Amino acid sequence: YREVIRRALCIHCNRPTPMNAHLHSFDEQRHEKAFAAAGLVAAKTLVLQNVLFLRSRLSWLCRKLPFPLWRILDRSFSLLYRKNATIVVTGALPERAGEVHPA
């Protein structure tokens, strides 16, 4: 999620290419464009796994907690450090935007 990926010039296509395989960094706007290209709308976005929470290993220690409690801890760390590792987006057909379909 919003990761800065180092790039080098590809010897095959002469374009900037991620250094470690074909990694891609995503944010809400890139997901909305991808969903629109597929004929869907982004119905719900969830940003998870605060980097500070992950690096402190507290997320691992709290892995047996119910998700709502784990999520409160994750969000609390986001108040201290605003960088997250994961974005989860669910999509819906435009005419059924109220209904959520995982994509």
Side-chain angles (χ1 to χ4, degrees), residues 17 33 88 102:
T17 305
K33 287 179 185 176
V88 179

Side-chain angles (χ1 to χ4, degrees), residues 17-54:
T17 305
M19 297 279 289
N20 300 314
H22 288 276
L23 302 174
H24 299 279
S25 178
F26 291 96
D27 59 15
E28 292 86 351
Q29 291 77 29
R30 284 190 70 181
H31 273 287
E32 286 175 13
K33 287 179 185 176
F35 275 70
L40 300 169
V41 294
K44 184 177 177 184
T45 301
L46 184 64
V47 179
L48 297 167
Q49 295 184 316
N50 179 273
V51 172
L52 184 61
F53 189 42
L54 293 175

Side-chain angles (χ1 to χ4, degrees), residues 2 7 10 15 18 34 38 48-49 60-62 64 67 70 78 80 82 92 94:
R2 293 186 183 170
R7 298 177 184 274
C10 177
R15 290 186 185 164
L48 297 167
Q49 295 184 316
W60 184 81
L61 293 172
C62 299
K64 301 229 181 205
F67 180 73
W70 182 92
S78 292
L80 299 171
R82 299 187 76 63

Side-chain angles (χ1 to χ4, degrees), residues 77-101:
F77 273 84
S78 292
L79 295 173
L80 299 171
Y81 187 66
R82 299 187 76 63
K83 184 147 175 79
N84 292 291
T86 305
I87 182 172
V88 179
V89 182
T90 53
L93 296 171
E95 63 273 3
R96 295 172 22 188
E99 300 174 30
V100 177
H101 303 277

